[in-house]
Amino acid sequence: MKYNDKISVIIPCYNVEKYVEKSIASIMNQTYENIEVIVIDDKSTDNTYDILKQLEKKYLGKMILLQNEENRGLAYTRNFGVLKATGDYIGFIDSDDYVDKNYYDILVNKLVSEDADLVVNDIQLVDENSNNIAPVTKACIGKVTKLNLIDNGLCASACNKLIRKDLLLTFPFLVGKINEDVASIIPIIVKSEKITYAEEAVYYYVQRKNSIQNAKFSEKRFDMFDSISVCLDRIKDSDRYEEYKDIILLHQLLEIYIYILIEIESEKDRKRLIGKFIEKLNEYDFKIWDLKCKNQFIKRHRKNIRVYYRRLINLLKGNNVEKINDTIKFRKEFKSNMKKLIGRNKETGKYTIDELVKLAKKQNNLKEGNVKISAVVPNYNYEEFLIRRIYSILNQNYKIYELVILDDCSKDDSRALIDEIYSKIKAYINIRLVYNEKNSGSAFKQWAKGIEEAKGEYVWIAEADDYCDKRMISELVKPIELTEKIYISYVDTAFTDKKGNIFLKTIKPEIDIMKTGHWDSNFINDGLKEIEDYTFLNNTIANVSSCLIKKDDYSAIYEEIGKYRQSGDWVFYVNVMARGKVAYIDKAMNFYRVHDTQITSNMKKERHLEEIKTIYEMISEKFGTNEFQKKKRDERIKFLIKAWQIEGEK
């Protein structure tokens, strides 16, 4: 493919009168000019076709409008579009979704530079008001290999890809079925000679209540069995067929069973659908209880749920719906009873102060550790999360030397709650309160105050809205006990929503932007070497709550990070790393709570980019720079300019 070659974008439409204009506009405004836009109405029953005819006039000569003679479904419509397309590469956009204006420019550049058959990119979930409702969903974790692409929840999506046309003609979508992508896109991935990944391009996937994917689970969803069967038949001659089959069945069937079917509330519906699921497994001879990747799948979950999942999976082999249902009922009742027994607030799910008292007594009885840890909790208006946070500190299986709670003039009732907690647990643990008389206006100033107040050898800045695994501190202390001069010891971080539900199990793909695999195992590294090889390019520590930081005089660093509004943490970590060694534990034991799901403004993006450039200059001045670093920084800046759509930058 050459840069100015034509590409065809196919947009199937059915009853999308509220969304289609925005979707088509996002394609018409692309910076890549040689685009053929084929819009096909699948005999909509609302005003969609009338709107499309108006848009055809508006985009005269730029938009090809077609209509099926009768409603034929998404697969037929996409196949029809492929036959009509004259471009050598084809992209698909669902008619309620949209993309950035440089979306196809990025994809084509990637195809051209790597001479690839297929390019994939990430997906951003948004609501109907274009608000982000989760971090970007990565289309590839680790190296860009066929197996890694298939071992991903986005692998079967047609929309986040630009594909060579002849591959789509060879492996058409499965007509008359939902989950029709599985039979087409996965074989295309397997059969492609060269695949590439454009992580800087993002497809905006609108979550609406009445969409097919968000509809209530029905027997129609069992079309997936037909799609999987066709998919496997199309790749049966592949050298790695058994590996591909395992991963496909995991994502397309086992996850449906675990994450959807067993969670259906109505017992009658649940039993009926699980029974149908088992019938289909037997009909197609899909033994998902014997998958080689089953154990790895189970290990991704919390220990207290692994036995439950393992039993439910093994029970599929016996075709016993009643035993499966009894297991599900037992767990639901057990969870309900346990909430009452351990004193959780049933309405909010928060932990109680009585539980904190129990844990404070338990902490008091722990043996003194070799390393004195000061847990510092900076708080501003996080009353809602304070008990959960302090619970996770007191629940550590390593003795905490002291707990210091800071409050930065909160406007909610945080101080009243902190005072109450203090009064109840002060008899059992070493606890101090530090209240500001005036709001500092900076989280970094509170970090500085916390470190200065701390009397331990290492400081844990445990931000008030985060929480963690009870073994986190004992894991972080291990390398400190083994090696001298460790200034930062940190763990992997998972992301949660406001309610504490985990939606991103590891931050490694966001940290390892050069795809080095550096964070795939534990390490202890010289701080200067860590900066030279990795932290020169991006902030490699996701969240301060994941760290133990050696107590030291950092006053010069505090003054320096005060210049930054968004990237001060990166500056802080770099300067601390430079004083000694860095340790990393490859376990996601820190849970970072995400609150703001709004799209970042262009002004903030521009300011953030300027801060990144300034940090590059700072690191170069302090630690030097080499040609590799310069090249990677230039690539990073260009990537951010495109990804953030910053005007006037080169």
Side-chain angles (χ1 to χ4, degrees):
M1 184 180 189
K2 297 179 181 177
Y3 178 72
N4 282 319
D5 285 354
K6 183 194 288 185
I7 64 172
S8 299
V9 178
I10 297 169
I11 309 176
C13 302
Y14 180 71
N15 289 356
V16 283
E17 59 185 5
K18 287 174 59 179
Y19 312 96
V20 70
E21 187 168 358
K22 180 176 181 177
S23 180
I24 291 175
S26 75
I27 305 302
M28 292 301 177
N29 293 327
Q30 289 292 300
T31 54
Y32 189 81
E33 295 180 353
N34 198 5
I35 295 180
E36 172 185 68
V37 182
I38 302 174
V39 182
I40 309 170
D41 179 65
D42 192 22
K43 212 63 176 175
S44 295
T45 57
D46 64 359
N47 293 318
T48 297
Y49 190 58
D50 292 334
I51 294 170
L52 292 177
K53 286 192 289 186
Q54 293 171 16
L55 293 173
E56 183 184 28
K57 292 177 183 177
K58 179 179 178 179
Y59 300 116
L60 189 62
K62 296 182 179 180
M63 169 180 153
I64 301 169
L65 177 60
L66 305 170
Q67 187 181 41
N68 293 335
E69 293 180 359
E70 58 183 78
N71 180 259
R72 301 296 297 269
L74 183 59
Y76 175 91
T77 306
R78 282 178 173 169
N79 289 339
F80 180 48
V82 172
L83 292 173
K84 292 291 183 181
T86 59
D88 290 324
Y89 280 79
I90 293 176
F92 298 95
I93 300 287
D94 282 349
S95 50
D96 47 356
D97 301 335
Y98 58 94
V99 294
D100 290 327
K101 65 181 181 181
N102 60 345
Y103 178 75
Y104 282 110
D105 214 339
I106 294 170
L107 297 188
V108 170
N109 269 303
K110 200 72 176 175
L111 284 171
V112 172
S113 65
E114 301 201 22
D115 191 24
D117 303 317
L118 165 74
V119 58
V120 301
N121 57 273
D122 300 333
I123 285 181
Q124 173 70 67
L125 300 183
V126 296
D127 63 22
E128 295 185 36
N129 296 315
S130 297
N131 297 317
N132 294 358
I133 57 177
V136 169
T137 304
K138 308 300 290 183
C140 185
I141 305 298
K143 293 182 179 179
V144 184
T145 65
K146 293 178 182 180
L147 194 62
N148 280 345
L149 285 171
I150 293 171
D151 190 10
N152 187 289
L154 300 183
C155 67
S157 172
C159 292
N160 67 325
K161 299 171 178 71
L162 193 53
I163 305 167
R164 214 177 67 217
K165 178 182 176 180
D166 63 295
L167 290 168
L168 285 161
L169 291 171
T170 305
F171 303 110
F173 297 99
L174 197 58
V175 175
K177 307 291 181 181
I178 61 173
N179 297 103
E180 75 290 336
D181 303 41
V182 172
S184 175
I185 302 303
I186 295 178
I188 285 173
I189 291 172
V190 172
K191 297 294 184 177
S192 294
E193 291 184 15
K194 173 70 175 175
I195 297 172
T196 186
Y197 172 40
E199 59 183 323
E200 59 268 46
V202 178
Y203 179 97
Y204 295 98
Y205 179 19
V206 178
Q207 300 293 285
R208 54 190 180 99
K209 294 178 182 178
N210 61 339
S211 69
I212 293 173
Q213 290 300 322
N214 291 328
K216 185 177 178 181
F217 194 96
S218 70
E219 290 192 21
K220 182 64 177 169
R221 292 283 293 275
F222 291 131
D223 283 354
M224 70 182 81
F225 283 90
D226 296 327
S227 299
I228 293 167
S229 180
V230 172
C231 170
L232 295 178
D233 185 61
R234 287 175 171 180
I235 66 170
K236 63 185 177 183
D237 59 344
S238 168
D239 292 340
R240 304 183 70 176
Y241 173 75
E242 291 299 330
E243 288 180 89
Y244 294 145
K245 179 182 178 182
D246 247 35
I247 296 298
I248 291 165
L249 293 179
L250 167 69
H251 286 291
Q252 305 303 325
L253 290 182
L254 184 55
E255 290 185 355
I256 292 288
Y257 173 60
I258 289 295
Y259 297 142
I260 298 177
L261 290 177
I262 69 172
E263 295 298 331
I264 293 171
E265 284 300 317
S266 165
E267 184 177 353
K268 181 180 178 181
D269 289 343
R270 183 171 65 237
K271 288 170 66 175
R272 176 176 60 82
L273 291 168
I274 290 175
K276 183 70 173 179
F277 183 75
I278 291 172
E279 285 178 22
K280 285 286 189 180
L281 285 176
N282 293 333
E283 180 184 340
Y284 286 87
D285 198 28
F286 291 155
K287 297 179 174 62
I288 62 174
W289 52 85
D290 280 339
L291 296 181
K292 292 179 182 177
C293 56
K294 178 187 72 176
N295 290 333
Q296 286 301 112
F297 168 75
I298 291 172
K299 285 180 181 179
R300 296 207 306 254
H301 299 87
R302 301 187 310 275
K303 278 190 175 179
N304 64 351
I305 205 170
R306 290 176 191 170
V307 174
Y308 171 61
Y309 281 169
R310 192 180 298 278
R311 175 171 172 78
L312 288 174
I313 294 168
N314 288 336
L315 283 172
L316 288 171
K317 187 175 183 178
N319 301 331
N320 196 319
V321 176
E322 289 299 331
K323 282 188 178 180
I324 292 172
N325 189 58
D326 287 345
T327 303
I328 296 166
K329 281 177 64 179
F330 174 80
R331 179 167 177 82
K332 286 179 181 290
E333 290 168 5
F334 177 79
K335 285 173 68 179
S336 176
N337 290 333
M338 281 303 294
K339 283 183 181 180
K340 296 173 187 175
L341 287 171
I342 65 175
R344 294 175 191 250
N345 180 319
K346 195 172 181 182
E347 292 186 4
T348 62
K350 291 180 182 176
Y351 296 80
T352 67
I353 293 178
D354 287 343
E355 289 181 84
L356 298 187
V357 174
K358 292 176 186 177
L359 290 174
K361 290 177 180 178
K362 185 178 176 182
Q363 263 285 325
N364 189 42
N365 292 326
L366 288 178
K367 183 181 177 181
E368 198 77 49
N370 294 327
V371 182
K372 291 182 178 179
I373 305 296
S374 294
V376 175
V377 181
N379 175 68
Y380 179 67
N381 290 345
Y382 282 141
E383 175 199 3
E384 181 181 356
F385 310 109
L386 269 168
I387 292 180
R388 180 72 181 94
R389 168 36 104 195
I390 295 172
Y391 181 100
S392 72
I393 294 171
L394 298 179
N395 197 36
Q396 292 299 303
N397 60 13
Y398 190 93
K399 191 175 182 69
I400 302 299
Y401 174 67
E402 65 174 347
L403 172 60
V404 183
I405 303 178
L406 314 179
D407 187 75
D408 201 12
C409 285
S410 293
K411 295 178 181 179
D412 61 5
D413 290 328
S414 288
R415 287 198 178 182
L417 178 59
I418 293 168
D419 287 341
E420 185 180 359
I421 293 170
Y422 175 79
S423 69
K424 294 289 181 69
I425 68 174
K426 66 179 181 179
Y428 310 107
I429 66 164
N430 180 11
I431 180 172
R432 286 184 288 128
L433 308 183
V434 182
Y435 289 165
N436 286 348
E437 294 182 4
K438 182 180 178 182
N439 181 264
S440 69
S442 167
F444 300 137
K445 287 181 181 178
Q446 289 296 90
W447 290 15
K449 177 172 276 192
I451 294 173
E452 288 170 355
E453 287 281 344
K455 294 180 171 61
E457 300 165 87
Y458 282 81
V459 184
W460 173 23
I461 300 176
E463 293 186 314
D465 54 332
D466 299 334
Y467 65 99
C468 62
D469 188 283
K470 68 180 181 180
R471 301 157 299 162
M472 189 179 92
I473 296 302
S474 61
E475 289 292 330
L476 288 172
V477 164
K478 286 178 183 177
I480 294 171
E481 292 176 326
L482 291 171
T483 308
E484 293 183 352
K485 292 195 71 176
I486 288 183
Y487 269 74
I488 297 179
S489 180
Y490 69 108
V491 296
D492 188 13
T493 290
F495 277 40
T496 81
D497 62 18
K498 191 175 179 181
K499 294 181 180 179
N501 302 309
I502 297 170
F503 61 79
L504 188 67
K505 295 177 183 177
T506 174
I507 195 63
K508 288 191 287 187
E510 308 295 331
I511 295 302
D512 192 11
I513 62 176
M514 293 188 289
K515 296 182 172 57
T516 62
H518 181 54
W519 288 269
D520 289 345
S521 58
N522 298 353
F523 64 77
I524 296 174
N525 199 10
D526 179 78
L528 291 173
K529 185 65 174 170
E530 190 75 8
I531 296 166
E532 179 184 355
D533 292 341
Y534 309 103
T535 318
F536 77 90
L537 184 61
N538 61 294
N539 186 4
T540 54
I541 299 179
N543 177 229
V544 72
S545 297
S546 69
C547 308
L548 288 182
I549 300 166
K550 186 175 176 62
K551 169 79 173 178
D552 206 348
D553 179 8
Y554 298 122
S555 52
I557 302 176
Y558 302 146
E559 185 176 345
E560 187 169 357
I561 67 175
K563 303 171 187 175
Y564 298 87
R565 297 182 67 178
Q566 292 172 275
S567 303
D569 53 346
W570 182 9
V571 177
F572 178 73
Y573 300 138
V574 166
N575 282 281
V576 174
M577 283 179 187
R579 297 190 179 197
K581 296 179 181 178
V582 181
Y584 169 75
I585 310 299
D586 183 26
K587 295 178 181 176
M589 307 180 86
N590 176 57
F591 304 108
Y592 171 72
R593 198 183 304 265
V594 176
H595 300 275
D596 184 8
T597 58
Q598 300 298 314
I599 296 173
T600 306
S601 70
N602 285 333
M603 187 176 293
K604 284 187 178 180
K605 290 175 182 175
E606 290 170 10
R607 188 162 57 231
H608 195 179
L609 184 66
E610 289 307 311
E611 287 194 2
I612 290 170
K613 292 178 179 178
T614 304
I615 292 170
Y616 284 166
E617 292 173 4
M618 178 274 293
I619 294 174
S620 295
E621 288 174 7
K622 285 191 174 185
F623 309 109
T625 191
N626 56 44
E627 289 304 314
F628 173 77
Q629 292 171 339
K630 287 178 183 176
K631 178 185 175 185
K632 287 297 177 183
R633 285 170 175 162
D634 287 344
E635 290 174 355
R636 183 68 177 163
I637 292 295
K638 288 176 183 177
F639 158 69
L640 292 174
I641 289 168
K642 277 191 174 183
W644 291 348
Q645 298 184 48
I646 297 176
E647 301 288 346
E649 289 281 354
K650 294 183 179 179

